Amino acid sequence: MQEKQFTHEPAISQVILDQYLNNTPTHIPSVPPVIAIAYPAGESAFPSLLLQGPDPDPALAWIIMEYSDGETIDKDQTGARIEAIRQHTRLPVIIAAHDTLVEAGHVYWASQGFSLQFIRRQLIFRAAVTPTKADVGADLFLAALAAGAPRRHAVLLSPGVADRVTSGLQVVRAEGGYSFVVTDDPPFLHRRSGSFLADFILPAAKTATILRSLLPRFSQPGQPLPPPGEPAWNTIQRILLQDKGFDCTPYPRRDLWRCLHRRMGIHGAASLDAYTAILKEDIEELSLLCDELCTTLSGFFLDPATAIALEKDTFPSLLARRQASRPLRIWLPRCIGGQPAYSVAMHLLDYLHTHKATATIQIFATDLDKAAIDRARIGIYDATEIAGISPHRLNRYFIKRPDGYHIHPDIREICVFATQNLLKDPPFSHVDLIIGCSILVGLNNSSLDQAFRRFHYALNPHGFLLPGRMRSKDYPDELFQLQSEQPILFVRRETAMPFEPAYQLQSLRDGEKEADKLLLAGYVPAALLIDEQYKVIRFYGDLEPYLRRSPDRPSLHVLRMVRDDLVFELNELIEQSEKQRRAMKKDGIPLGPDEDAPRLSLEVAPLFSSERKWRLIVIREMPAAAPQGNERPQGRGPSAKDLRILALEDQLNEMRRLLLAANQDAGQVQQALERANEEIMAANEELLCVNEQLQGIKEQLLSFNLELHTANEALHIHNQDLERSAKYAHAVLASLHRPLVVLQEDGRIQTANPSFGRFFDVDAAKMAGRTLFSIGNGVLDREPLRKSLHRLLENKVSSLRLELSTEIPGQGGRILAINAGRMQKVKEGPPGFVLEIEDITQRTIAERFKDDFIGIASHELKSPATTIQAYSQLLYEELANAPGSQPVQLVRKLNGQVSRLTRLTKDLLDVTGISQGLVQLRKEWFDIRALLTGTVEELQVTTPIRLVVEEETTLPAVRADRERIGQVLVNLLSNAIKYAEGTREIIVRAGAAAKSVWVSVQDFGMGMSPDGLKDIFGRFCRLEEPAPNRLPGVGLGLYISSEIVRRHGGEITVTSEKEKGSVFTIHLPIR
Amino acid sequence: MKHLLLVDDDPAILDVFGMIFSAPEYNVSVFSNPDAIFTLKTDIPDLIFLDTRLSGADGLEVCRRLKKGSLTRDIPIILISASPGIQQQAREAGAVAGIEKPFSIKELRLLVKTTLNKRGK
């Protein structure tokens, strides 16, 4: 099927519908080539001018159409016209009537009441159902001609008609036909052919010649396609691409060839080579060819320059200036098959995607041609139509189905398709961009001006207009500023020339006033004003005979108010007037079944504005004897029966037409249903896809679940470990015998162990958060502990250790040893302190008891020792008088041992006193050198080792306990003598520092290892070597010495080396 | 003939003192009970040896009391003790000296001699 649907009126729709119904192929050789001549009624000589030229070719059919702007031509004038034509041709001239068949070798004359239809492989004249205006009629006629007989016609137009026909000529051109504007008027002849859509503007004489040269092409329409790879073909493609940026490779070769073949005809070029030569020479021809290709090849391609302009300039600017809340609105006043609109949508979506922008988009694509709109709405394209679309776009914006490539719903939803007459219907508003698709080509000056005003009105400030091809002299400089010329891009100017469409004036009027005005003009006949819901708004005149009261609830619905006889007719008239947007009238409607019933004339006038769709219904009673129709033969009065038959025939015709229309509606409904079905299928597909995805997600969830389960188990085990560890730690803490608390950094208790609770008779579990001092009536609230703990918490010391005497309820006075220290750092755990309490009461008592015991024991020992010593001294005195006797030696030895014994008891007493803090120093000023010298002299007597005193400086007097310091010196010297047995000397040195004096004793005896030095000043410390028996003693000497020096605020030090000797030094402060 | 009085409850010490001062110029008498001292009316001693540790009494305390009594105030007292700090304590209690056990009999004799010489002057 190759029907072309370039119509927008019912009559043409019907042509197409007929073709559908008859299922007729369009390439019918039996249809003759047609030369159509169209002229306005005023130029009755025009057809004669043309007919006289060529010898009549019997293969051709001539159709002469006269247009008269709605005025009917009376019979006499018609006869004169026919007669004039007959004088210029030898062919039979036939006046076209309803059902007249177009045949070769005939001339047909038709007034504008007729159109052509292509029915059952034949071209047939049909009476137009409704009278149409000349321009629309001519358009329709030509479109129908082209649809019926492709590539077999030429159209000869008078300039008076040429200005009015645009879409019809486009169809003619698209189908390979030729159009001529024939005039002898010099100004017209100087216009370029591009100002009309016509191919030639010629004087009448020349037209015949050209027409004759073209005739062979008429009879041989099927010129074979040049083979692929033909050099001339490639050359043309290259020229188009290089010079015009037009890539025609994606288009079907057949379509391209049709266009090229036509252009070759215009130039009389016999071959492609010849045409290529013309193309190389003639820049204008190249432009025309390109233009024609652009307008006739409808594909998914904006011409490259336009696409680049959109992406580089227009889109960025629009998006930058756009208000976020407003959608981006684009208007294409030429829809073709929807491809330009979809292309723009794809470009824009790609652009948004690339630039990661978002915008709401509305694309309005309009066309005069309802069929084009329908085609666009369906949005299904076959493989040749989508050829050359990138796989990316095909994948993203199309859905492949068995019946072709469907535009993706996402794109489809953006685009709104509607029939619209650019020059008559209200334009869109708040549009950001208008893409004209060369719609302005062929418009005359006033139409151009009107179109530009409409574009100006429609666009937002700074809105863009891409008009496509147009002549530079037509640039609307006062309304638009030219931004670029390749492609032509305008930006809207802010000017004081607002567009006020006529319909707005209409809308400003009050509907009722308008109605009053109309009624007054007709002497106020019976009339009703109804709104869009068919509700009666107002009654006029005497309506009584035409209304009824229906036995139901009262209603203002007009169809329920009028009499049954009128319901059908009225409804139909209203619908027609709505479709055609003009007043519709029907006469001769009988009111009631009687033959002599009054005949009525019904008229429905639409009062449409942008806001309302009101209608005025006027009912007039017709005079009884009025003639009923034009076709009625004159002469005798019609009988009532005839009239009835005629009326019934009319009704029958009408019914037939309605049936067809209903059929068409049904077809549309079916289409809509099919579309809906497809959408449901698509939705179903999407649901299936979503289901698949959900399945995938479900599996993922299951695997996540499994992982979670595993992780959970691991956590559980870990948790158990932790619990065990915690229990273990708790058990360790609980098992501690000693009371123990863990303190927080602020000193409050974190944990206390059960021993702590038991010890202080409190509940250990409730200790958390309390301070140590609040426990058990403040048993631990003692100043020393407060001070020490404070220092510990302040980090001034790292640990504390103190003994505390306190009264514990139920236990009496206790002595506690308290140890505390900073806890070992735990990763991510809070810092803390561990404080441990030891009850040392028993131990302290035992130690005191021991000290007391030693003290008392040694004290008590002293008395018998004293007595023994005294006796031995007395004995010595007695025996001394008899020298040399053996007993004297014995007594002396006895004396020595007694002295040792007493010294031992003395030492024990000293130690006890020191450990109990009972030693009191009796300080006095004395000469330490004198003490030193005396002591050395005293001890020199007891040993063969030479005691050498080296004096370095004079020593100051010191304030100290003379007796005790003497004791220290004796101790040090005795030790040196004891451990340096066999050496020759012991060196004693003394010296003074700023505030202290020092005395050192150096021996060269056995010395000590570093290990031996460790505890040398401790209690009961004795060197293990040599054999203890050799050097008896309990090892208290150094302890006592160090304690005495310490209590003086001084210091005792030792350095020693094994087998080399030792140096003991004391430092004493001067006071 | 100097009269030395020794107050001590240790019979061994009493014996030893008797032997130390067995020279003819000394007459040593002993009291084991310190209270007996305060009953003296005649035969006032020239020097008193007083042990600090007495059964039922503190020697230092006895010394102080003697130093308060009108009859005994001027009698020099020498305290005897096992404690190392006796010299200081003795001086504080009003005694002429304190000697620590064990002692050298030479030194003791010297001390008595010098004490009695001072008193004689």
Side-chain angles (χ1 to χ4, degrees):
Chain A
M1 297 286 275
Q2 261 217 309
E3 301 78 23
K4 295 290 165 179
Q5 308 176 2
F6 287 89
T7 60
H8 54 103
E9 289 288 320
I12 298 301
S13 301
Q14 209 171 316
V15 172
I16 292 146
L17 189 69
D18 282 348
Q19 288 169 4
Y20 272 113
L21 291 174
N22 297 326
N23 198 15
T24 333
T26 50
H27 291 274
I28 306 299
S30 64
V31 174
V34 174
I35 294 175
I37 299 168
Y39 66 99
E43 299 178 34
S44 54
F46 184 73
S48 318
L49 216 62
L50 295 167
L51 283 172
Q52 70 187 1
D55 293 329
D57 186 331
L60 291 175
W62 295 74
I63 298 174
I64 298 165
M65 297 287 295
E66 184 178 294
Y67 292 96
S68 57
D69 286 329
E71 294 159 22
T72 46
I73 305 159
D74 63 43
K75 293 265 172 194
D76 294 344
Q77 282 178 337
T78 309
R81 301 270 159 82
I82 305 297
E83 204 48 49
I85 292 165
R86 280 197 176 126
Q87 286 176 4
H88 287 95
T89 181
R90 291 195 298 272
L91 297 175
V93 178
I94 297 165
I95 302 171
H98 196 67
D99 287 344
T100 305
L101 181 68
V102 177
E103 289 173 298
H106 288 78
V107 177
Y108 299 89
W109 184 89
S111 70
Q112 72 186 72
F114 291 89
S115 183
L116 280 172
Q117 287 188 16
F118 188 65
I119 301 171
R120 293 179 198 89
R121 309 183 178 193
Q122 289 173 321
L123 209 51
I124 296 166
F125 279 100
R126 302 311 290 263
V129 177
T130 51
T132 51
K133 284 185 182 168
D135 46 359
V136 178
D139 263 350
L140 291 178
F141 181 84
L142 293 174
L145 176 65
R151 274 174 286 160
R152 286 169 177 268
H153 47 262
V155 178
L156 314 179
L157 300 168
S158 137
V161 175
D163 265 355
R164 297 174 178 177
V165 291
T166 48
S167 62
L169 281 185
Q170 270 170 12
V171 183
V172 169
R173 190 163 82 173
E175 293 303 333
Y178 297 95
S179 53
F180 297 76
V181 172
V182 183
T183 178
D184 289 329
D185 194 1
F188 272 110
L189 285 171
H190 287 108
R191 277 166 72 168
R192 280 183 50 219
S193 55
S195 63
F196 301 107
L197 273 170
D199 299 314
F200 301 96
I201 301 173
L202 295 170
K206 214 168 178 189
T207 303
T209 323
I210 299 285
L211 204 52
R212 199 177 296 128
S213 74
L214 287 173
L215 283 177
R217 292 177 180 272
F218 281 43
S219 49
Q220 300 168 344
Q223 177 112 358
L225 210 61
E230 160 99 31
W233 182 280
N234 291 344
T235 310
I236 292 170
Q237 283 194 341
R238 187 172 46 77
I239 291 171
L240 279 169
L241 189 62
Q242 281 177 357
D243 293 2
K244 289 286 171 184
F246 185 83
D247 181 9
C248 47
T249 46
Y251 298 103
R253 278 163 58 86
R254 182 170 46 81
D255 292 350
L256 203 62
W257 174 236
R258 185 193 299 166
C259 186
L260 283 173
H261 189 248
R262 205 185 81 84
R263 298 295 318 172
M264 284 161 66
I266 290 168
H267 290 276
S271 66
L272 259 184
D273 288 325
Y275 182 65
T276 309
I278 294 169
L279 214 50
K280 281 177 180 168
E281 294 293 316
D282 188 349
I283 297 167
E284 199 175 324
E285 172 56 22
L286 182 59
S287 291
L288 287 170
L289 171 66
C290 191
D291 199 13
E292 198 166 312
L293 286 171
C294 281
T295 51
T296 57
L297 300 178
S298 58
F300 278 96
F301 301 95
L302 299 172
D303 82 87
T306 305
I308 289 167
L310 284 177
E311 286 180 19
K312 287 271 153 66
D313 200 358
T314 318
F315 287 162
S317 169
L318 285 178
L319 286 171
R321 211 177 289 125
R322 182 181 67 98
Q323 293 167 4
S325 59
R326 282 195 43 238
L328 201 60
R329 287 157 71 95
I330 300 171
W331 179 21
L332 292 90
R334 201 159 160 198
C335 171
I336 306 175
Q339 294 96 328
Y342 292 135
S343 280
V344 170
M346 289 179 218
H347 272 283
L348 185 49
L349 287 178
D350 278 354
Y351 179 85
L352 289 175
H353 184 73
T354 313
H355 292 79
K356 297 192 170 34
T358 53
T360 318
I361 305 165
Q362 290 179 346
I363 295 175
F364 303 96
T366 60
D367 207 306
L368 204 59
D369 182 358
K370 176 94 170 41
I373 292 297
D374 286 344
R375 171 127 173 67
R377 281 179 179 160
I378 291 165
I380 304 173
Y381 300 95
D382 62 31
T384 56
E385 284 171 308
I386 54 98
I389 292 180
S390 69
H392 152 71
R393 284 199 174 157
L394 209 55
N395 197 28
R396 190 163 167 210
Y397 300 120
F398 290 86
I399 299 166
K400 193 182 174 185
R401 300 245 168 81
D403 57 342
Y405 290 83
H406 291 232
I407 276 287
H408 197 280
D410 286 353
I411 298 243
R412 179 64 191 84
E413 279 165 20
I414 293 172
C415 303
V416 176
F417 296 100
T419 45
Q420 195 217 33
N421 185 334
L422 172 63
L423 300 181
K424 292 194 177 121
D425 292 335
F428 294 87
S429 59
H430 300 295
V431 173
D432 297 295
L433 168 66
I434 295 174
I435 300 172
C437 301
S438 305
I439 195 170
L440 302 171
V441 174
L443 291 185
N444 62 24
N445 287 342
S446 71
S447 300
L448 256 181
D449 185 56
Q450 210 178 338
F452 277 123
R453 277 170 193 277
R454 277 161 186 268
F455 289 156
H456 186 267
Y457 169 84
L459 282 170
N460 283 325
H462 302 289
F464 290 100
L465 170 64
L466 269 159
R469 311 259 157 209
M470 69 177 291
R471 291 170 303 184
S472 58
K473 74 182 181 72
D474 291 334
Y475 289 169
D477 292 327
E478 72 279 16
L479 294 173
F480 291 94
Q481 187 183 345
L482 186 70
Q483 186 112 331
S484 77
E485 250 189 317
Q486 185 60 34
I488 299 164
L489 175 63
F490 293 113
V491 180
R492 183 183 186 270
R493 273 187 209 273
E494 279 305 305
T495 67
M497 294 182 71
F499 164 71
E500 278 189 37
Y503 72 90
Q504 273 200 341
L505 285 173
Q506 227 175 23
S507 75
L508 291 173
R509 283 186 219 151
D510 183 57
E512 290 185 359
K513 273 185 195 166
E514 196 185 340
D516 286 344
K517 203 172 145 192
L518 275 167
L519 286 166
L520 280 172
Y523 304 103
V524 195
L528 297 137
L529 183 64
I530 62 167
D531 65 7
E532 47 266 55
Q533 270 94 42
Y534 287 38
K535 288 267 170 62
V536 177
I537 294 167
R538 193 169 164 182
F539 297 111
Y540 301 91
D542 179 18
L543 280 159
E544 188 56 35
Y546 317 116
L547 298 185
R548 60 165 175 153
R549 287 169 200 85
S550 53
D552 203 340
R553 288 184 189 170
S555 169
L556 277 176
H557 197 283
V558 69
L559 295 180
R560 298 195 62 189
M561 292 189 82
V562 297
R563 287 180 55 147
D564 290 347
D565 322 39
L566 302 178
V567 170
F568 179 80
E569 307 285 354
L570 187 59
N571 188 24
E572 191 201 329
L573 273 176
I574 292 171
E575 278 177 6
Q576 275 190 12
S577 81
E578 185 171 349
K579 273 182 190 165
Q580 300 189 16
R581 302 178 70 84
R582 64 186 180 82
M584 299 296 287
K585 187 176 177 186
K586 183 154 188 181
D587 296 338
I589 300 160
L591 188 67
D594 302 338
E595 280 193 2
D596 54 351
R599 305 275 154 173
L600 297 182
S601 158
L602 275 181
E603 192 172 357
V604 175
L607 307 174
F608 293 175
S609 76
S610 56
E611 291 134 28
R612 54 176 168 76
K613 275 167 96 176
W614 291 2
R615 301 171 192 86
L616 184 69
I617 301 163
V618 184
I619 306 169
R620 288 192 187 88
E621 204 152 320
M622 296 173 76
Q628 295 299 311
N630 289 346
E631 291 86 358
R632 287 295 302 165
Q634 304 286 324
R636 59 188 173 95
S639 71
K641 193 177 171 186
D642 288 344
L643 284 174
R644 183 71 182 146
I645 289 167
L646 277 171
L648 284 173
E649 273 176 355
D650 270 359
Q651 275 189 14
L652 204 62
N653 270 335
E654 210 52 32
M655 288 298 287
R656 183 172 167 264
R657 204 179 60 69
L658 282 171
L659 206 61
L660 285 171
N663 232 336
Q664 186 186 352
D665 284 349
Q668 280 172 354
V669 167
Q670 194 179 344
Q671 271 185 2
L673 279 175
E674 274 169 13
R675 261 203 305 275
N677 193 32
E678 274 159 17
E679 274 169 31
I680 288 167
M681 296 286 283
N684 197 25
E685 271 172 34
E686 275 170 35
L687 280 176
L688 281 172
C689 178
V690 168
N691 198 23
E692 286 294 315
Q693 287 170 347
L694 283 176
Q695 284 289 341
I697 290 166
K698 188 182 162 196
E699 273 165 32
Q700 275 184 348
L701 280 177
L702 279 174
S703 99
F704 280 146
N705 207 12
L706 204 65
E707 278 174 37
L708 277 177
H709 189 70
T710 316
N712 200 21
E713 272 182 1
L715 274 176
H716 189 66
I717 291 167
H718 195 62
N719 207 17
Q720 278 180 338
D721 283 353
L722 274 177
E723 212 168 294
R724 264 202 295 278
S725 300
K727 275 184 183 163
Y728 185 74
H730 190 75
V732 168
L733 212 60
S735 312
L736 275 180
H737 180 65
R738 285 185 190 174
L740 184 142
V741 284
V742 178
L743 301 178
Q744 296 166 357
E745 208 163 18
D746 60 357
R748 290 180 183 276
I749 294 173
Q750 171 113 20
T751 329
N753 71 347
S755 296
F756 186 89
R758 279 197 297 277
F759 188 76
F760 291 105
D761 193 24
V762 291
D763 186 353
K766 292 178 181 168
M767 289 294 104
R770 294 180 62 175
T771 68
L772 215 50
F773 309 115
S774 68
I775 289 161
N777 295 329
V779 290
L780 292 175
D781 191 4
R782 296 290 184 275
E783 199 51 33
L785 180 59
R786 275 185 180 272
K787 270 187 187 167
S788 306
L789 197 61
H790 186 68
R791 283 164 62 80
L792 181 68
L793 296 178
E794 297 273 291
N795 265 331
K796 285 177 180 159
V797 289
S798 61
S799 65
L800 78 85
R801 178 183 172 81
L802 61 89
E803 286 175 15
L804 202 68
S805 296
T806 184
E807 193 85 11
I808 295 184
Q811 299 184 45
R814 310 303 288 178
I815 298 163
L816 307 177
I818 296 174
N819 277 299
R822 186 167 275 277
M823 219 159 70
Q824 223 177 5
K825 277 217 165 163
V826 186
K827 201 179 175 187
E828 285 168 21
F833 304 90
V834 176
L835 185 140
E836 141 195 271
I837 295 166
E838 189 182 357
D839 184 359
I840 55 165
T841 314
Q842 290 297 337
R843 199 175 77 196
T844 312
I845 289 170
E847 253 176 43
R848 272 189 202 158
F849 181 76
K850 179 202 74 186
D851 284 348
D852 284 353
F853 173 76
I854 293 170
I856 290 164
S858 50
H859 197 269
E860 289 305 317
L861 277 173
K862 265 190 172 179
S863 296
T866 306
T867 321
I868 293 165
Q869 197 177 18
Y871 280 133
S872 77
Q873 282 173 20
L874 286 169
L875 186 60
Y876 182 75
E877 278 175 10
E878 287 296 318
L879 293 174
N881 297 332
S885 68
Q886 189 67 17
V888 175
Q889 295 304 321
L890 287 174
V891 171
R892 199 157 66 191
K893 283 181 184 170
L894 177 68
N895 254 337
Q897 287 306 309
V898 170
S899 292
R900 228 186 104 201
L901 179 69
T902 51
R903 208 163 51 238
L904 204 67
T905 47
K906 207 168 153 23
D907 277 359
L908 278 173
L909 264 176
D910 276 348
V911 170
T912 314
I914 285 165
S915 67
Q916 291 185 350
L918 295 175
V919 173
Q920 303 221 327
L921 300 178
R922 279 181 294 275
K923 286 191 174 178
E924 56 189 334
W925 288 100
F926 66 93
D927 182 356
I928 193 167
R929 192 190 308 131
L931 180 66
L932 185 62
T933 313
T935 311
V936 167
E937 279 170 9
E938 212 172 290
L939 287 172
Q940 182 65 73
V941 188
T942 62
T943 178
I945 303 170
R946 201 157 60 90
L947 305 179
V948 182
V949 178
E950 284 185 3
E951 285 177 36
E952 291 188 347
T953 52
T954 51
L955 294 178
V958 293
R959 187 172 178 271
D961 188 325
R962 188 177 199 273
E963 206 172 320
R964 291 285 179 193
I965 297 299
Q967 192 184 349
V968 171
L969 294 176
V970 170
N971 254 327
L972 294 181
L973 282 165
S974 308
N975 267 348
I977 291 164
K978 189 159 65 181
Y979 288 100
E981 202 181 353
T983 60
R984 283 190 303 174
E985 59 178 17
I986 289 167
I987 299 170
V988 180
R989 298 184 182 87
K995 287 181 177 177
S996 64
V997 295
W998 57 269
V999 179
S1000 72
V1001 176
Q1002 183 178 18
D1003 71 73
F1004 301 94
M1006 61 181 77
M1008 288 164 286
S1009 65
D1011 277 352
L1013 287 177
K1014 255 199 305 196
D1015 214 12
I1016 193 161
F1017 297 114
R1019 266 205 274 186
F1020 306 107
C1021 174
R1022 280 190 59 200
L1023 294 172
E1024 290 302 317
E1025 44 191 339
N1029 292 345
R1030 268 177 68 191
L1031 296 165
V1034 288
L1036 292 169
L1038 279 176
Y1039 169 69
I1040 292 164
S1041 299
S1042 76
E1043 282 300 310
I1044 289 169
V1045 172
R1046 198 175 60 79
R1047 275 160 189 271
H1048 275 88
E1051 192 186 11
I1052 183 164
T1053 59
V1054 60
T1055 57
S1056 183
E1057 204 176 331
K1058 197 87 178 147
E1059 305 302 336
K1060 294 211 170 151
S1062 313
V1063 182
F1064 285 87
T1065 309
I1066 58 166
H1067 301 264
L1068 277 178
I1070 285 172
R1071 46 188 309 147
Chain B
M1 180 93 153
K2 295 295 178 187
H3 180 197
L4 308 179
L5 178 66
L6 175 65
V7 182
D8 202 325
D9 51 6
D10 185 351
I13 290 290
L14 295 176
D15 181 46
V16 165
F17 263 71
M19 288 173 74
I20 293 170
F21 297 103
S22 60
E25 64 263 39
Y26 299 113
N27 173 29
V28 180
S29 60
V30 292
F31 283 171
S32 60
N33 185 353
D35 293 339
I37 305 171
F38 302 105
T39 60
L40 284 174
K41 295 286 187 276
T42 54
D43 199 11
I44 300 300
D46 296 300
L47 193 147
I48 298 172
F49 293 106
L50 195 59
D51 197 312
T52 52
R53 266 175 99 99
L54 299 166
S55 55
D58 179 3
L60 287 169
E61 188 53 40
V62 172
C63 176
R64 283 187 205 103
R65 276 177 66 190
L66 287 173
K67 283 294 162 185
K68 283 175 186 167
S70 56
L71 279 175
T72 55
R73 185 188 297 156
D74 297 325
I75 307 169
I77 298 168
I78 293 171
L79 285 167
I80 302 163
S81 172
S83 304
I86 187 59
Q87 288 183 347
Q88 181 79 14
Q89 288 168 345
R91 273 196 286 274
E92 281 165 10
V96 288
I99 54 172
E100 189 187 337
K101 292 177 185 176
F103 45 80
S104 149
I105 55 172
K106 278 185 187 166
E107 281 174 19
L108 185 63
R109 279 179 187 143
L110 191 64
L111 180 62
V112 169
K113 206 172 194 173
T114 48
T115 305
L116 288 177
N117 282 348
K118 274 184 193 168
R119 189 178 149 79
K121 286 171 190 174

